[in-house]
Structure formats: structure tokens, C-alpha cells
Amino acid sequence: MVTEGLGMYNSQGIQKKTAFHRSQTLGYRNGYAVVRRPTVGIGGDRLQVNQLSQAELDELANKAPVLTYGQPKQAPPAEFIPAHVAFDKKMGHFDFTLMLMHLRGPRVLKFDAYFQEDVPMSTEEHYRIRQVKIYYYLEDDSMSVIEPVVENSGIPQGKLIKRQRLAKNDRGDHYHWKDLNRGIDITIYGKTFRVVDCDRFTQVFLESQGIELNPPETMALDPYTELRKQPLRKYVTPSDFDQLKQFLTFDKQVLRFYAIWDDTDSMFGECRTYIIHYYLMDDTVEIREVHERNNGRDPFPLLMNRQRVPKVLVENAKNFPQCVLEISDQEVSEWYTAKDFIVGKPLTILGRTFFIYDCDPFTRQYYREKFGISDLPRVDVSKKEPPPVKQELPPYNGYGLVEDSAQNCFALIPKPPRKDVIKMLVNDNKVLRYLAALESPIPEDKDRRFVFSYFLATDMISIFEPPVRNSGIIGGKYLGRTKVVKPYSLVENPVYYSPSDFFIGAVIEVFGHRFVILDTDDYVLKYMESNAAQYSPEALLSVQNHVRKREPPAPELENKQTEVDPGVQELEALIDTIQKQLKDHPCKDGIREAFQVYDKEASGYVDKEMFFKICDSLNVPVDDSLIKEVSSSYSWVDRRG
């Protein structure tokens, strides 16, 4: 491989580049930067002087001829010169006086102005005039606003707006010296400044630029500052009132008034009672609050401390901050006196209106001797209680009992309705049972029978349908314990079914279903005869005649069979066998109670699964063969019956 210059040659004689740097185009000569035109390109290749670049070739390919000698070249943009460079150390066509002023200081336009500021928290001044100086800097078109500092003014003064370019409108334009003049208003950051005058340099500059200046105006003065400059009043006419004589004459003499403050018109307001004491020795007033036991208020003794109470304020003191500062004699033109406290008239003290309804005997005697007022009767301020508002219940929605649902309207936390405990104790475990048929146009419902159980302790009714094999209808609980409302009874005052409504042939409507009473058990007749006053003679006679004429009781109401047949004898023998097995069991006393607990409807039936569950919980041994024989025998007897 042979090396020559900036390249290398391989075995085939082809030159291979190894250097790819660009030629240097910048340099310095005698301390000045000069531009050198490169003669070689990247890799050391010599450049053709008249060769066009690729960009120039593309431009020529896409250029459309417009003129004979090609398109005119655009003029280069004007060189940007900042304003502070253009105006710095340069002067316009001014007169000799302006030139002298220019030599003494910088180029700044100076204007005298003022703005008005509201004073909401003072009764002596409603607004304040603040004088400022507005400076405009020609070198960068910036402005600043400075307020001369006044010693002990209590106002932050000095530089109000620092030097910057100020916006003139919402379009982004800024204030220029052409916008400034005397006798105009300019708004800067929400404050309106009134320009009244300018200095000699500003006047000469604006007039030299062809701006016609308005005549100067007088600077506005602050009224409160001018008022403070006036001399204070040093002489006060002495009063001929002898306070010492009043103190010695009326010492320990106090007028007592009884008043109320009625604030019921406002939210959470109420009517409260107060005692007003008027001290004759110095014409001061004290207001005490009358507290009652368990009124829920802290026992503060005084509503208002003993002090003189203003009646009429001067015209300039209506906006006096009474909640912050104490009222002096200068703000009051008239004070409350004893003649302003009259029984039967309202009285406004510090914004509250009190009604005086009574006073003590000493006060009545004082008014009789001093003012000649002998009639000060007591005013009755007791309010009559409004008639109780009848509480209307919303319409019944059909869920639960009416009495239970109505408790949600009487209290925020509903309470269960009261129960007749005596009735529950007397009629505990007393149940009236009836056999009824369903009135229905459906043929399958004609043979269905239902057992009504009326619980005398709670006046509730439960309905049980004995299961019938191969009937296609699942028997069991038809209706849980609940009170049944009679049809056509009012929702506000419901009337429930009672034992007097159940007799032979009676129609009982339960939630849209009609049932006809067909039969009763023997306990119903005994209960009706012992409480004959509750039943009508026809109802009692119907049950008596039915019991006397009826044949052996229906299998749905009685568990014993009147006829002696082999199936019944076999069933009784199996039951005796089971009773002998359970006779010596230690839990024999709790078996009956357990079955009564799980038989919540008092129907006398439990299913087979519940029976085995109760026996397992009591550890009672159960012979499956005997249970199967009892079930088959019971089914056989049920079919025979």
C-alpha cells in the first residue's frame, strides 16, 4: 500500500481517503477578523471556483423567468438600532436653552400629576388626593411614577410604579411620549392619574416635535391635609351644669325598667327578657339579662356595661366605626335621659330595639313627681301559645303495620309502638283456630282448606295451608303473623279484624283474598261463651249449632281419629314405642320447648329435616326405621281420612 498526500492507495491502485476535516474559513489579520474563501473541500478535494452549489442548482431549476435579467434581489433588511442607542448622546433641532438643559442631565420628560383614592374606614375624609411625579425616559420609552415622601403621613410612599414600559390598552400598545400632554387623564394599572403640568425641558421637547400643549392646571390639594393645617379650637364655653350637685342629690337612686328584645323575625331568633337600670347620679345606663333555669345559655350577668348611651349623633359621625373606637362627646349631639324611658314604648339602644313593659314602684313615684306622669300601667307581653298543628301522616305504602310506619313521622329516631302488656300477659298462648275455604273462580282452589290462627295476645292472624298429597299445590305457611285490616277502612285510622268477626259463614278478606269460615275448634266455642259480650247473638248461635250438629272433627283441626281402624292403631303403637325410648332421656323436659321454638307459627307441624335437626341439637337418638314407619303410617291414615 502506497501513501500520497491526504490519501492512501491500496493494492489495486485505488486511492482511499483518510482525512475528512473542513477547511478553516475564519482568521485574524492585524487584530481584525477576516473571512477566507476555501479552496479545498472535505477530504482535501479541490473546489471549482465557478461551480454552483446544489441549493443554487435547485433554485435555478424551479425558478420561473419573470424579467429579462432574472428576478430582482430583495433588499437586505435595515440594521436594527435600539432606541437607547439612537437617542443616547444625540440631540434634535432644539434651541440653545434646550441644549444647555440637555448638557446638564439625562433625557427625561417630567410631569406633575395626582390621583384620587377612596377612604372607606374614616368619617372625617371620604377621599384622599395624592400628588405624584411621572417620568418618561426617551432612551427606552419607559415610565415610572414616584410620590414624594411626606414625613409621618402613615401611607407607603416613594416609588409607586417602577421604571418599565406601561401598557396603554388591551392590544399590547405601550405609552409613547406623543400620548402625554397637560390636562389629560391616563390610566395605569387601574389608577387614573390627572396630568396638570410639566417642567421646562419637557415643554420645549414636546413643542419642538410639533405637539400643541394644553394650558397648565392647578394641582389639587388634599382636603383633610388642609383641614389639619387649620389651628385647633382652644377655648370651650364652660357648662353651667353642676355634676357634683347631681351626684350628691341622686346618689344610690336607680330607675329600674323591665324590657324584652323580640328577635323572632330573624333566623334562630327568640324573645328575651332584660332589666334596664338608669342611674340618676350620672345619667348612665346598664342592661342586665334575666336568666331562667335550663335555658341553655351561659350566665353572663351584663348585656351592656354601665355607660352613657348616645341618642342622636352629629351629621359627620353617622359612619363612625363604633365597633372599633369609642364614641366621644364630639360625635354625639344628644344623649339618652330619664324622660326617654317610658313604659309601653320601644327604645333603640346600640342597634337593639327594647320594649319596656313594666317598672318598679320607685320609678313610678319618680316619674309622678318629676314629670307628672301618673299612669304607667304594666303591659302584658306574654305570648299565647299557637294552636297545635295537626300532624298529617303520609299515605300508607303497604309495608309493615300502619302504627309502626307512622313512628317515622313522629320522631327522628323511630320508637316501636306501645303494646298492651296486660293483654299480652292475660292472653299468652291463647290461640283461636278456624277452618276456612278460599273463594276463587279457579276450579283448583275450591278444595283448598286453610287454618286461621288468631292470637289473642297481639291480635295477629296467621294462615296455614295443610299439605295435600298429589294436589299439585305446595302447602305450608300461607301468611305470617300480622294484623289484617278490614276492607274499606281509612288509612289514617285502620280497623283490624277482631275475634268478633270470626264465626261460621263469615267472610274474611285478607289482602284481596276472600275466605269463608267453615269450622272451628272446641276452644273457640268455650272462649265465645266466656266472653259473650264481645260477640253478637247470631255469631254465638251459629258456632253453637255447628258444634252440636257437626260430625267427628276434620283431620285438619284434630289429631285424633274417632274411628278405630288398623292404620290408626298401628300409628298409635309406633308413637308409644318412640315415647318409651325418649322417656328416660335426660333432655326430655327441653324437647317440647325446642319444638315450640322452631314452630314459630304455632301450626303444630315441623318438617322432617327440622325434626332431625332438633334431635341432633339435643343429642336424642333417633331410629330411622321407626321414623319411616311413622311417616308411612301417617300417610296411609291421611289417605284414609
Side-chain angles (χ1 to χ4, degrees):
M1 182 176 294
V2 181
T3 302
E4 180 180 357
L6 298 176
M8 300 178 66
Y9 292 89
N10 54 13
S11 58
Q12 287 78 15
I14 300 174
Q15 186 180 9
K16 183 178 181 182
K17 296 181 181 180
T18 58
F20 297 93
H21 61 274
R22 296 182 61 184
S23 300
Q24 184 69 22
T25 59
L26 297 178
Y28 284 88
R29 178 177 298 175
N30 297 329
Y32 292 94
V34 294
V35 179
R36 294 187 301 180
R37 187 177 184 86
T39 58
V40 294
I42 299 175
D45 295 338
R46 184 168 298 277
L47 297 175
Q48 299 296 331
V49 177
N50 296 328
Q51 186 178 358
L52 297 178
S53 63
Q54 185 65 33
E56 292 176 343
L57 293 175
D58 295 339
E59 183 180 359
L60 291 174
N62 298 328
K63 181 173 64 174
V66 178
L67 299 177
T68 305
Y69 300 101
Q71 294 180 346
K73 294 185 178 179
Q74 295 181 355
E79 185 179 359
F80 173 74
I81 302 176
H84 65 276
V85 177
F87 282 97
D88 190 22
K89 299 180 181 180
K90 293 183 179 180
M91 299 182 59
H93 300 285
F94 302 158
D95 57 5
F96 182 72
T97 305
L98 179 61
M99 183 177 64
L100 294 178
M101 297 175 62
H102 174 74
L103 294 176
R104 286 199 297 266
R107 281 63 59 202
V108 179
L109 304 183
K110 179 181 178 182
F111 297 90
D112 297 332
Y114 70 90
F115 69 95
Q116 181 175 321
E117 182 181 38
D118 295 335
V119 184
M121 297 300 293
S122 177
T123 58
E124 296 183 357
E125 54 177 340
H126 300 286
Y127 64 92
R128 184 180 298 126
I129 300 296
R130 300 178 65 175
Q131 302 176 3
V132 297
K133 302 288 185 180
I134 300 177
Y135 296 94
Y136 184 93
Y137 301 89
L138 295 174
E139 58 185 12
D140 57 355
D141 296 331
S142 60
M143 298 176 63
S144 65
V145 180
I146 298 176
E147 181 180 7
V149 179
V150 179
E151 187 178 359
N152 295 329
S153 64
I155 303 174
Q157 295 176 334
K159 186 181 293 185
L160 299 183
I161 301 176
K162 64 182 181 179
R163 181 175 175 179
Q164 57 184 297
R165 298 188 68 187
L166 300 178
K168 181 172 61 174
N169 48 37
D170 297 338
R171 297 188 297 273
D173 300 334
H174 295 84
Y175 277 108
H176 194 261
W177 54 266
K178 297 180 182 179
D179 302 322
L180 303 179
N181 203 334
R182 292 184 298 202
I184 63 172
D185 294 335
I186 61 173
T187 302
I188 302 175
Y189 293 143
K191 289 185 178 181
T192 301
F193 296 86
R194 180 68 178 182
V195 181
V196 296
D197 202 355
C198 62
D199 60 353
R200 177 63 179 168
F201 174 80
T202 304
Q203 180 178 356
V204 173
F205 174 79
L206 295 178
E207 289 178 351
S208 65
Q209 298 298 321
I211 297 178
E212 182 179 356
L213 291 177
N214 299 326
E217 298 180 357
T218 305
M219 177 64 71
L221 301 178
D222 185 29
Y224 181 72
T225 304
E226 298 300 322
L227 179 64
R228 293 290 299 270
K229 293 180 181 180
Q230 298 179 2
L232 297 177
R233 184 180 179 184
K234 298 181 180 179
Y235 298 98
V236 179
T237 303
S239 176
D240 57 352
F241 181 75
D242 191 354
Q243 295 184 354
L244 179 59
K245 180 181 178 181
Q246 181 185 7
F247 176 80
L248 297 177
T249 304
F250 299 103
D251 187 21
K252 298 182 180 180
Q253 294 185 13
V254 182
L255 304 181
R256 176 175 294 180
F257 302 92
Y258 301 96
I260 60 172
W261 174 43
D262 192 356
D263 191 37
T264 54
D265 294 337
S266 62
M267 183 179 293
F268 309 114
E270 57 182 345
C271 186
R272 300 167 65 178
T273 308
Y274 296 91
I275 296 177
I276 302 176
H277 290 158
Y278 186 90
Y279 295 87
L280 296 174
M281 56 179 293
D282 54 358
D283 295 330
T284 55
V285 181
E286 178 188 73
I287 302 179
R288 290 181 173 270
E289 185 174 359
V290 179
H291 292 276
E292 299 178 358
R293 297 187 62 183
N294 299 327
N295 61 354
R297 294 186 174 274
D298 295 333
F300 290 109
L302 292 177
L303 177 67
M304 187 186 74
N305 289 327
R306 181 178 173 180
Q307 58 181 308
R308 297 182 67 187
V309 181
K311 181 180 180 181
V312 180
L313 299 177
V314 296
E315 190 67 22
N316 297 331
K318 291 184 178 180
N319 298 327
F320 186 81
Q322 303 179 17
C323 60
V324 180
L325 302 177
E326 295 182 359
I327 299 177
S328 61
D329 296 343
Q330 286 76 18
E331 287 82 25
V332 181
S333 61
E334 185 179 356
W335 302 87
Y336 274 111
T337 58
K339 62 181 179 181
D340 298 320
F341 294 81
I342 303 298
V343 177
K345 293 184 178 180
L347 188 70
T348 302
I349 300 177
L350 299 182
R352 293 191 181 186
T353 301
F354 297 88
F355 180 78
I356 302 175
Y357 66 91
D358 198 5
C359 60
D360 62 350
F362 173 77
T363 305
R364 285 189 171 88
Q365 181 181 357
Y366 177 81
Y367 273 80
R368 189 183 304 110
E369 297 175 356
K370 181 70 175 178
F371 304 107
I373 302 176
S374 59
D375 188 12
L376 291 176
R378 185 181 187 276
V379 181
D380 186 12
V381 294
S382 60
K383 293 186 178 181
K384 297 181 180 180
E385 295 184 0
V389 180
K390 184 178 180 182
Q391 196 169 14
E392 298 182 359
L393 298 178
Y396 179 60
N397 56 5
Y399 295 96
L401 300 178
V402 178
E403 295 84 356
D404 196 8
S405 300
Q407 297 300 321
N408 297 296
C409 305
F410 298 148
L412 183 61
I413 301 177
K415 299 179 180 179
R418 293 186 177 182
K419 298 180 180 180
D420 192 350
V421 181
I422 304 299
K423 181 178 180 180
M424 295 176 63
L425 295 176
V426 172
N427 298 320
D428 188 24
N429 295 330
K430 293 183 179 180
V431 183
L432 304 180
R433 291 185 174 87
Y434 306 88
L435 181 65
L438 178 64
E439 283 190 355
S440 176
I442 301 175
E444 290 78 3
D445 294 339
K446 293 184 179 180
D447 296 334
R448 297 175 65 181
R449 295 296 179 264
F450 300 87
V451 177
F452 278 66
S453 298
Y454 190 95
F455 300 89
L456 296 174
T458 58
D459 293 332
M460 292 186 178
I461 298 175
S462 67
I463 304 176
F464 181 81
E465 183 179 6
V468 179
R469 293 175 62 87
N470 299 328
S471 64
I473 298 175
I474 301 175
K477 181 172 65 176
Y478 186 81
L479 177 67
R481 288 191 185 187
T482 183
K483 289 185 177 181
V484 181
V485 183
K486 290 185 177 181
Y488 308 110
S489 64
L490 299 177
V491 178
E492 295 80 5
N493 189 16
V495 180
Y496 299 101
Y497 278 107
S498 61
S500 60
D501 299 320
F502 290 84
F503 53 88
I504 303 301
V507 178
I508 306 299
E509 184 174 345
V510 180
F511 302 122
H513 300 274
R514 296 169 58 89
F515 297 88
V516 181
I517 303 299
L518 302 179
D519 198 357
T520 62
D521 58 358
D522 295 339
Y523 180 73
V524 174
L525 179 59
K526 295 179 182 180
Y527 180 80
M528 294 178 66
E529 291 177 350
S530 60
N531 300 275
Q534 301 180 7
Y535 296 88
S536 61
E538 293 80 6
L540 181 60
L541 183 62
S542 65
V543 176
Q544 290 177 349
N545 294 337
H546 181 77
V547 172
R548 293 172 184 173
K549 295 179 180 180
R550 72 181 177 184
E551 296 181 0
E556 292 82 355
L557 299 176
E558 296 292 338
N559 292 331
K560 297 182 180 180
Q561 294 288 342
T562 55
E563 298 180 1
V564 179
D565 50 24
V568 174
Q569 293 178 358
E570 184 178 358
L571 179 61
E572 292 179 352
L574 291 174
I575 292 174
D576 292 340
T577 304
I578 295 175
Q579 288 179 351
K580 289 179 181 180
Q581 291 182 1
L582 300 178
K583 184 175 182 181
D584 298 332
H585 195 272
C587 298
K588 62 180 180 179
D589 297 333
I591 294 177
R592 181 179 181 85
E593 288 76 4
F595 278 95
Q596 290 179 351
V597 169
Y598 284 95
D599 186 13
K600 297 181 180 180
E601 302 297 333
S603 60
Y605 297 93
V606 293
D607 53 6
K608 185 176 180 181
E609 296 179 358
M610 184 61 67
F611 174 78
F612 284 108
K613 182 178 180 181
I614 296 173
C615 293
D616 293 340
S617 62
L618 299 176
N619 297 325
V620 176
V622 179
D623 192 350
D624 295 340
S625 60
L626 292 177
I627 296 301
K628 293 180 180 178
E629 292 181 5
V630 171
S631 300
S632 60
S633 300
Y634 178 78
S635 302
W636 182 81
V637 172
D638 188 31
R639 290 195 301 271
R640 290 289 301 274

